[in-house]
Protein backbone atom coordinates (compact mmCIF):
# COMPACT_ATOMS: atom_id res chain seq x y z
CA UNK A 1 0.00 0.00 0.00
CA UNK A 2 1.36 3.41 -0.95
CA UNK A 3 2.50 5.74 1.82
CA UNK A 4 -0.15 8.40 1.14
CA UNK A 5 -2.97 5.93 1.61
CA UNK A 6 -1.45 4.36 4.71
CA UNK A 7 -1.01 7.79 6.32
CA UNK A 8 -4.65 8.55 5.53
CA UNK A 9 -5.73 5.30 7.13
CA UNK A 10 -3.65 5.99 10.24
CA UNK A 11 -5.24 9.41 10.61
CA UNK A 12 -8.70 7.93 10.08
CA UNK A 13 -7.96 5.25 12.67
CA UNK A 14 -6.96 7.86 15.22
CA UNK A 15 -10.10 9.90 14.57
CA UNK A 16 -12.25 6.78 14.80
CA UNK A 17 -10.72 5.82 18.15
CA UNK A 18 -11.53 9.29 19.45
CA UNK A 19 -15.10 8.94 18.23
CA UNK A 20 -15.42 5.60 20.01
CA UNK A 21 -14.32 7.19 23.28
CA UNK A 22 -16.62 10.18 22.90
CA UNK A 23 -19.43 8.39 20.94
CA UNK A 24 -21.35 11.59 20.04
CA UNK A 25 -24.84 10.70 18.83
CA UNK A 26 -25.10 12.28 15.37
CA UNK A 27 -27.67 10.13 13.54
CA UNK A 28 -30.72 8.39 14.92
CA UNK A 29 -32.73 6.05 12.69
CA UNK A 30 -36.40 5.53 13.42
CA UNK A 31 -37.86 2.36 11.95
CA UNK A 32 -41.35 3.84 11.93
CA UNK A 33 -43.10 1.02 10.03
CA UNK A 34 -42.48 -2.41 8.57
CA UNK A 35 -45.22 -1.96 5.98
CA UNK A 36 -44.08 -1.55 2.40
CA UNK A 37 -45.73 -0.91 -0.96
CA UNK A 38 -43.31 -3.08 -2.93
CA UNK A 39 -41.93 -6.57 -2.42
CA UNK A 40 -38.25 -6.21 -3.25
CA UNK A 41 -36.27 -9.31 -4.11
CA UNK A 42 -33.44 -8.27 -1.80
CA UNK A 43 -35.35 -7.02 1.26
CA UNK A 44 -33.27 -7.58 4.39
CA UNK A 45 -36.21 -7.24 6.76
CA UNK A 46 -38.75 -9.10 4.61
CA UNK A 47 -41.24 -6.22 4.80
CA UNK A 48 -44.79 -6.72 3.59
CA UNK A 49 -47.77 -4.55 2.64
CA UNK A 50 -49.46 -5.71 5.83
CA UNK A 51 -46.76 -6.10 8.46
CA UNK A 52 -46.98 -8.37 11.48
CA UNK A 53 -45.68 -5.56 13.71
CA UNK A 54 -47.88 -2.44 13.97
CA UNK A 55 -46.47 1.01 13.23
CA UNK A 56 -44.89 2.63 16.26
CA UNK A 57 -47.11 5.45 17.59
CA UNK A 58 -45.34 8.72 16.88
CA UNK A 59 -45.83 9.88 20.47
CA UNK A 60 -43.67 6.97 21.66
CA UNK A 61 -40.79 8.11 19.46
CA UNK A 62 -41.36 11.73 20.45
CA UNK A 63 -40.74 10.74 24.09
CA UNK A 64 -37.33 9.42 23.04
CA UNK A 65 -36.57 12.73 21.32
CA UNK A 66 -37.73 14.72 24.36
CA UNK A 67 -35.32 12.73 26.52
CA UNK A 68 -32.46 13.41 24.11
CA UNK A 69 -33.29 17.12 23.77
CA UNK A 70 -33.26 17.49 27.57
CA UNK A 71 -29.55 16.60 27.64
CA UNK A 72 -28.22 17.35 24.14
CA UNK A 73 -28.50 19.98 21.44
CA UNK A 74 -31.18 18.48 19.15
CA UNK A 75 -29.75 20.36 16.18
CA UNK A 76 -26.71 18.07 16.37
CA UNK A 77 -28.72 14.85 15.97
CA UNK A 78 -30.10 14.06 12.52
CA UNK A 79 -33.21 11.86 12.53
CA UNK A 80 -33.56 9.43 9.61
CA UNK A 81 -37.06 8.02 9.19
CA UNK A 82 -36.92 4.55 7.65
CA UNK A 83 -38.94 1.37 7.33
CA UNK A 84 -40.38 -0.51 5.60
CA UNK A 85 -41.50 2.41 3.49
CA UNK A 86 -42.08 5.59 5.55
CA UNK A 87 -44.59 6.94 3.03
CA UNK A 88 -46.95 4.11 4.00
CA UNK A 89 -47.70 6.13 7.14
CA UNK A 90 -50.58 8.51 6.55
CA UNK A 91 -49.36 10.57 9.50
CA UNK A 92 -45.80 10.94 8.21
CA UNK A 93 -46.25 14.72 7.91
CA UNK A 94 -47.29 14.84 11.59
CA UNK A 95 -44.29 12.68 12.47
CA UNK A 96 -41.98 15.05 10.62
CA UNK A 97 -43.60 18.12 12.13
CA UNK A 98 -43.18 16.71 15.63
CA UNK A 99 -39.52 15.93 14.99
CA UNK A 100 -38.90 19.37 13.48
CA UNK A 101 -40.69 21.26 16.27
CA UNK A 102 -38.45 19.54 18.82
CA UNK A 103 -35.42 21.02 17.07
CA UNK A 104 -34.19 17.92 15.26
CA UNK A 105 -33.39 18.00 11.53
CA UNK A 106 -34.85 14.99 9.76
CA UNK A 107 -34.85 13.07 6.50
CA UNK A 108 -36.12 9.80 5.12
CA UNK A 109 -35.18 6.77 3.05
CA UNK A 110 -37.81 5.98 0.40
CA UNK A 111 -38.53 4.01 -2.75
CA UNK A 112 -40.44 7.06 -4.00
CA UNK A 113 -43.53 5.14 -5.06
CA UNK A 114 -45.89 7.33 -3.00
CA UNK A 115 -43.93 10.58 -3.26
CA UNK A 116 -46.37 12.67 -5.28
CA UNK A 117 -45.71 16.40 -5.76
CA UNK A 118 -48.45 17.19 -3.23
CA UNK A 119 -47.00 14.83 -0.63
CA UNK A 120 -43.50 16.16 -1.18
CA UNK A 121 -44.59 19.75 -0.58
CA UNK A 122 -46.43 18.75 2.61
CA UNK A 123 -43.32 16.97 3.86
CA UNK A 124 -41.19 20.00 2.98
CA UNK A 125 -43.55 22.11 5.10
CA UNK A 126 -43.04 19.59 7.93
CA UNK A 127 -39.29 20.26 7.90
CA UNK A 128 -37.97 17.56 5.57
CA UNK A 129 -34.24 18.14 5.07
CA UNK A 130 -32.90 15.09 3.24
CA UNK A 131 -34.07 12.14 1.13
CA UNK A 132 -32.39 8.97 -0.07
CA UNK A 133 -34.18 7.60 -3.15
CA UNK A 134 -33.68 3.99 -4.18
CA UNK A 135 -32.84 3.79 -7.89
CA UNK A 136 -31.73 0.28 -8.76
CA UNK A 137 -31.15 0.53 -12.48
CA UNK A 138 -32.92 1.63 -15.60
CA UNK A 139 -36.61 0.82 -15.89
CA UNK A 140 -36.28 -2.88 -16.62
CA UNK A 141 -33.73 -3.73 -13.94
CA UNK A 142 -35.22 -1.40 -11.33
CA UNK A 143 -38.73 -2.78 -11.69
CA UNK A 144 -37.34 -6.33 -11.72
CA UNK A 145 -35.67 -5.79 -8.35
CA UNK A 146 -38.57 -3.85 -6.83
CA UNK A 147 -41.23 -6.13 -8.37
CA UNK A 148 -43.58 -3.26 -9.14
CA UNK A 149 -44.38 -1.96 -12.63
CA UNK A 150 -44.65 1.69 -11.52
CA UNK A 151 -41.63 1.74 -9.24
CA UNK A 152 -39.14 3.21 -11.71
CA UNK A 153 -41.54 5.88 -12.97
CA UNK A 154 -42.22 7.10 -9.44
CA UNK A 155 -38.57 7.01 -8.39
CA UNK A 156 -37.83 9.02 -11.54
CA UNK A 157 -40.50 11.55 -10.56
CA UNK A 158 -39.13 11.73 -7.00
CA UNK A 159 -35.68 12.62 -8.34
CA UNK A 160 -37.22 15.29 -10.56
CA UNK A 161 -39.02 16.79 -7.56
CA UNK A 162 -35.82 16.89 -5.53
CA UNK A 163 -33.73 18.37 -8.34
CA UNK A 164 -36.35 21.07 -8.99
CA UNK A 165 -36.67 21.90 -5.29
CA UNK A 166 -32.96 22.55 -4.86
CA UNK A 167 -33.08 22.84 -1.05
CA UNK A 168 -33.52 19.27 0.20
CA UNK A 169 -30.25 17.34 0.26
CA UNK A 170 -30.64 14.00 -1.50
CA UNK A 171 -28.89 11.15 -3.21
CA UNK A 172 -29.80 8.21 -5.41
CA UNK A 173 -28.96 4.84 -3.90
CA UNK A 174 -28.26 1.83 -6.11
CA UNK A 175 -28.10 -1.83 -5.05
CA UNK A 176 -25.74 -3.42 -7.57
CA UNK A 177 -26.69 -6.90 -8.77
CA UNK A 178 -26.44 -9.14 -11.81
CA UNK A 179 -29.40 -7.48 -13.51
CA UNK A 180 -28.07 -3.91 -13.41
CA UNK A 181 -24.31 -4.46 -13.33
CA UNK A 182 -23.80 -3.91 -17.06
CA UNK A 183 -26.05 -0.84 -16.91
CA UNK A 184 -23.89 1.11 -14.46
CA UNK A 185 -22.47 3.54 -17.07
CA UNK A 186 -25.98 4.12 -18.45
CA UNK A 187 -27.40 4.64 -14.95
CA UNK A 188 -24.62 7.15 -14.26
CA UNK A 189 -25.39 9.08 -17.43
CA UNK A 190 -29.12 8.96 -16.72
CA UNK A 191 -28.58 10.47 -13.25
CA UNK A 192 -26.22 13.13 -14.59
CA UNK A 193 -28.77 14.04 -17.25
CA UNK A 194 -31.43 14.53 -14.57
CA UNK A 195 -29.19 16.82 -12.52
CA UNK A 196 -28.52 14.37 -9.69
CA UNK A 197 -25.25 15.23 -7.96
CA UNK A 198 -24.83 12.40 -5.42
CA UNK A 199 -24.96 8.68 -6.07
CA UNK A 200 -24.37 5.91 -3.55
CA UNK A 201 -23.65 2.34 -4.70
CA UNK A 202 -23.23 -0.95 -2.91
CA UNK A 203 -23.57 -4.69 -3.52
CA UNK A 204 -26.38 -6.55 -1.77
CA UNK A 205 -25.25 -8.47 1.30
CA UNK A 206 -26.65 -12.01 1.76
CA UNK A 207 -29.32 -11.49 4.43
CA UNK A 208 -33.09 -11.94 4.23
CA UNK A 209 -34.45 -12.63 0.76
CA UNK A 210 -31.09 -11.76 -0.79
CA UNK A 211 -29.44 -14.80 0.74
CA UNK A 212 -31.47 -17.11 -1.50
CA UNK A 213 -31.16 -15.49 -4.94
CA UNK A 214 -27.87 -15.78 -6.87
CA UNK A 215 -29.00 -13.04 -9.29
CA UNK A 216 -28.61 -10.56 -6.45
CA UNK A 217 -24.92 -11.30 -5.81
CA UNK A 218 -22.02 -10.01 -7.89
CA UNK A 219 -18.88 -12.07 -8.46
CA UNK A 220 -15.51 -11.12 -6.98
CA UNK A 221 -14.37 -9.84 -10.37
CA UNK A 222 -17.53 -7.76 -10.72
CA UNK A 223 -16.98 -6.39 -7.23
CA UNK A 224 -13.48 -5.24 -8.15
CA UNK A 225 -14.76 -3.69 -11.34
CA UNK A 226 -17.52 -1.93 -9.38
CA UNK A 227 -14.86 -0.27 -7.23
CA UNK A 228 -12.87 0.63 -10.36
CA UNK A 229 -16.01 2.11 -11.91
CA UNK A 230 -16.69 4.25 -8.82
CA UNK A 231 -13.08 5.41 -8.71
CA UNK A 232 -13.13 6.40 -12.37
CA UNK A 233 -16.51 8.13 -12.02
CA UNK A 234 -15.16 10.18 -9.12
CA UNK A 235 -12.12 11.17 -11.18
CA UNK A 236 -14.35 12.37 -14.00
CA UNK A 237 -16.18 14.63 -11.53
CA UNK A 238 -19.56 14.78 -13.29
CA UNK A 239 -21.37 13.15 -10.35
CA UNK A 240 -20.17 12.44 -6.82
CA UNK A 241 -20.26 8.65 -6.59
CA UNK A 242 -19.60 6.95 -3.28
CA UNK A 243 -19.18 3.35 -2.35
CA UNK A 244 -21.35 2.97 0.74
CA UNK A 245 -20.06 2.34 4.26
CA UNK A 246 -20.23 -1.40 3.52
CA UNK A 247 -16.71 -2.33 4.52
CA UNK A 248 -12.95 -1.87 4.31
CA UNK A 249 -11.61 -1.98 0.73
CA UNK A 250 -7.83 -1.76 1.13
CA UNK A 251 -6.06 0.04 -1.72
CA UNK A 252 -9.36 1.55 -2.82
CA UNK A 253 -9.70 3.48 0.46
CA UNK A 254 -9.56 7.21 -0.21
CA UNK A 255 -10.54 6.71 -3.87
CA UNK A 256 -14.10 5.36 -3.81
CA UNK A 257 -15.82 7.46 -1.14
CA UNK A 258 -15.55 10.76 0.67
CA UNK A 259 -14.25 9.13 3.86
CA UNK A 260 -12.01 6.30 4.98
CA UNK A 261 -13.86 3.22 6.18
CA UNK A 262 -15.27 3.08 9.67
CA UNK A 263 -18.32 1.35 11.05
CA UNK A 264 -20.29 4.17 12.70
CA UNK A 265 -22.93 1.82 14.14
CA UNK A 266 -23.20 2.46 17.87
CA UNK A 267 -20.43 5.07 17.69
CA UNK A 268 -22.25 8.00 16.12
CA UNK A 269 -25.32 6.14 14.80
CA UNK A 270 -28.19 4.75 16.86
CA UNK A 271 -31.67 3.50 16.07
CA UNK A 272 -35.09 2.84 17.49
CA UNK A 273 -36.65 -0.19 15.85
CA UNK A 274 -40.32 -0.90 15.24
CA UNK A 275 -40.83 -2.75 18.54
CA UNK A 276 -38.93 -0.15 20.56
CA UNK A 277 -35.62 -2.01 20.48
CA UNK A 278 -32.59 0.23 20.88
CA UNK A 279 -29.97 -0.62 18.29
CA UNK A 280 -27.60 1.02 15.80
CA UNK A 281 -27.60 1.04 11.99
CA UNK A 282 -30.88 -0.40 10.70
CA UNK A 283 -28.95 -2.58 8.23
CA UNK A 284 -27.99 -4.71 11.24
CA UNK A 285 -30.40 -7.60 11.30
CA UNK A 286 -28.54 -9.69 13.89
CA UNK A 287 -29.66 -9.50 17.50
CA UNK A 288 -27.30 -6.85 18.86
CA UNK A 289 -30.04 -4.99 20.75
CA UNK A 290 -29.01 -2.74 23.63
CA UNK A 291 -32.35 -2.12 25.32
CA UNK A 292 -35.91 -1.06 24.63
CA UNK A 293 -37.50 2.40 24.82
CA UNK A 294 -40.52 0.95 26.65
CA UNK A 295 -38.27 -0.18 29.50
CA UNK A 296 -35.06 1.87 29.23
CA UNK A 297 -33.95 5.45 28.72
CA UNK A 298 -32.37 5.77 25.27
CA UNK A 299 -29.56 8.12 26.29
CA UNK A 300 -28.73 6.00 29.33
CA UNK A 301 -28.34 3.01 27.03
CA UNK A 302 -26.31 5.09 24.58
CA UNK A 303 -23.88 6.17 27.29
CA UNK A 304 -23.59 2.92 29.22
CA UNK A 305 -24.09 0.09 26.76
CA UNK A 306 -23.07 -0.36 23.09
CA UNK A 307 -19.72 -1.83 24.19
CA UNK A 308 -19.76 -4.44 21.42
CA UNK A 309 -20.12 -1.62 18.87
CA UNK A 310 -17.23 0.40 20.27
CA UNK A 311 -14.81 -2.42 21.06
CA UNK A 312 -14.52 -4.84 18.16
CA UNK A 313 -12.10 -7.23 19.87
CA UNK A 314 -14.84 -9.89 19.95
CA UNK A 315 -14.64 -9.95 16.14
CA UNK A 316 -10.94 -10.85 16.07
CA UNK A 317 -11.47 -14.52 15.37
CA UNK A 318 -11.69 -16.94 12.45
CA UNK A 319 -10.42 -15.18 9.29
CA UNK A 320 -9.95 -11.92 11.20
CA UNK A 321 -7.73 -13.44 13.90
CA UNK A 322 -4.42 -12.95 12.08
CA UNK A 323 -5.47 -10.59 9.29
CA UNK A 324 -2.88 -7.92 8.52
CA UNK A 325 -5.68 -5.44 7.76
CA UNK A 326 -7.29 -5.70 11.20
CA UNK A 327 -5.73 -2.39 12.30
CA UNK A 328 -7.89 -0.49 9.80
CA UNK A 329 -10.79 -2.87 9.18
CA UNK A 330 -11.55 -4.09 12.73
CA UNK A 331 -13.75 -6.86 11.47
CA UNK A 332 -15.74 -4.99 8.81
CA UNK A 333 -19.24 -3.56 9.29
CA UNK A 334 -21.30 -5.01 12.13
CA UNK A 335 -24.24 -5.45 9.73
CA UNK A 336 -22.16 -8.21 8.11
CA UNK A 337 -22.04 -10.26 11.33
CA UNK A 338 -24.42 -13.07 12.24
CA UNK A 339 -25.95 -13.55 15.69
CA UNK A 340 -23.01 -15.76 16.68
CA UNK A 341 -20.46 -13.23 15.39
CA UNK A 342 -19.57 -14.99 12.14
CA UNK A 343 -18.46 -12.68 9.31
CA UNK A 344 -20.68 -13.00 6.23
CA UNK A 345 -18.54 -11.01 3.79
CA UNK A 346 -14.85 -10.06 3.80
CA UNK A 347 -14.21 -7.32 1.26
CA UNK A 348 -10.48 -7.93 1.17
CA UNK A 349 -11.08 -11.55 0.22
CA UNK A 350 -13.39 -10.40 -2.55
CA UNK A 351 -10.77 -7.98 -3.85
CA UNK A 352 -7.84 -10.38 -3.69
CA UNK A 353 -9.44 -13.64 -4.84
CA UNK A 354 -10.39 -14.57 -8.44
Amino acid sequence: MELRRRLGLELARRLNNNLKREHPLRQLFWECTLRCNVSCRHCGSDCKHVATAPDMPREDFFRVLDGIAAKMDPHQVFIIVSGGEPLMREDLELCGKGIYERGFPWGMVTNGLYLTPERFHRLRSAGLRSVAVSLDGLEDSHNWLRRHQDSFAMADQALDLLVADGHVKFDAVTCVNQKNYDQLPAIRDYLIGKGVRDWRLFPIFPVGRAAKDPMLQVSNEQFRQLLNFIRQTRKEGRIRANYSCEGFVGDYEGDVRDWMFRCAAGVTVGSVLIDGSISACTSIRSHYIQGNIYEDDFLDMWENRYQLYRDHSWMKKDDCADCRWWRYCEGNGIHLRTDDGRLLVCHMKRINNP
Side-chain angles (χ1 to χ4, degrees), residues 55-342:
D55 295 354
M56 179 182 287
R58 61 182 183 272
E59 293 81 5
D60 294 357
F61 184 65
F62 290 165
R63 281 193 287 273
V64 174
L65 297 185
D66 291 338
I68 294 173
K71 298 178 181 179
M72 294 179 59
D73 178 1
H75 296 91
Q76 299 301 311
V77 184
F78 199 94
I79 308 302
I80 303 172
V81 182
S82 68
E85 170 52 51
L87 292 170
M88 292 290 287
R89 289 190 66 132
E90 294 181 356
D91 68 342
L92 185 59
E93 290 85 343
L94 293 176
C95 296
K97 182 180 179 184
I99 295 169
Y100 179 73
E101 288 178 344
R102 285 166 170 80
F104 294 86
W106 72 280
M108 68 175 179
V109 180
T110 180
N111 59 39
L113 189 62
Y114 287 173
L115 193 62
T116 62
E118 297 77 17
R119 192 97 197 262
F120 174 67
H121 292 304
R122 291 200 302 270
L123 291 167
R124 282 280 283 114
S125 297
L128 180 67
R129 293 276 298 277
S130 81
V131 181
V133 178
S134 297
L135 195 286
D136 296 310
L138 302 180
E139 186 165 13
D140 60 336
S141 55
H142 177 91
N143 289 346
W144 173 83
L145 189 67
R146 298 282 161 177
R147 296 202 283 203
H148 194 293
Q149 63 180 5
D150 299 323
S151 183
F152 179 83
M154 292 305 292
D156 179 83
Q157 175 179 271
L159 291 173
D160 285 340
L161 289 170
L162 290 159
V163 170
D165 176 79
H167 298 290
V168 174
K169 182 176 175 57
F170 74 96
D171 63 356
V173 183
T174 299
C175 299
V176 180
N177 57 79
Q178 291 292 339
K179 195 77 169 178
N180 66 13
Y181 176 79
D182 290 333
Q183 293 181 344
L184 290 177
I187 299 168
R188 176 198 59 206
D189 294 344
Y190 156 82
L191 292 173
I192 293 170
K194 293 187 75 64
V196 175
R197 296 180 180 178
D198 291 278
W199 184 25
R200 211 166 359 130
L201 303 95
F202 54 92
I204 299 169
F205 58 97
V207 172
R209 297 173 188 168
K212 304 173 184 178
D213 190 342
M215 281 294 291
L216 300 179
Q217 305 301 318
V218 296
S219 68
N220 289 351
E221 174 60 24
Q222 288 172 322
F223 179 66
R224 287 190 293 271
Q225 292 306 317
L226 169 63
L227 296 177
N228 288 331
F229 171 78
I230 295 173
R231 180 161 58 186
Q232 182 58 38
T233 297
R234 288 173 64 85
K235 285 182 179 179
E236 292 171 1
R238 296 186 296 154
I239 188 171
R240 185 163 50 244
N242 274 293
Y243 182 63
S244 72
C245 55
E246 272 280 288
F248 178 73
V249 290
D251 283 333
Y252 289 96
E253 290 292 338
D255 290 345
V256 294
R257 54 188 161 211
D258 294 341
W259 63 93
M260 296 289 192
F261 170 72
R262 66 181 180 89
C263 182
V267 179
T268 60
V269 176
S271 70
V272 174
L273 303 183
I274 191 69
D275 62 352
S277 294
I278 296 170
S279 186
C281 169
T282 51
S283 291
I284 298 171
R285 308 318 300 184
S286 297
H287 193 72
Y288 298 140
I289 304 302
Q290 300 300 294
N292 192 289
I293 64 168
Y294 295 111
E295 300 172 359
D296 306 297
D297 176 75
F298 177 87
L299 269 189
D300 181 51
M301 299 301 98
W302 181 258
E303 290 299 329
N304 297 300
R305 294 196 186 176
Y306 283 90
Q307 285 82 5
L308 66 85
Y309 290 96
R310 298 164 190 168
D311 179 359
H312 288 197
S313 57
W314 60 276
M315 298 184 186
K316 200 171 183 5
K317 61 180 182 179
D318 302 327
D319 290 341
C320 295
D322 300 312
C323 179
R324 67 190 182 101
W325 297 113
W326 172 266
R327 181 176 182 84
Y328 308 121
C329 177
E330 292 193 336
N332 230 350
I334 294 181
H335 71 289
L336 296 174
R337 294 278 168 174
T338 61
D339 282 338
D340 60 2
R342 179 174 55 87

Side-chain angles (χ1 to χ4, degrees), residues 34 39-40 42-49 51 147 208-209 285:
L34 286 185
S39 181
C40 300
H42 64 301
C43 183
S45 51
D46 201 25
C47 298
K48 299 175 176 65
H49 195 279
R147 296 202 283 203
R209 297 173 188 168
R285 308 318 300 184

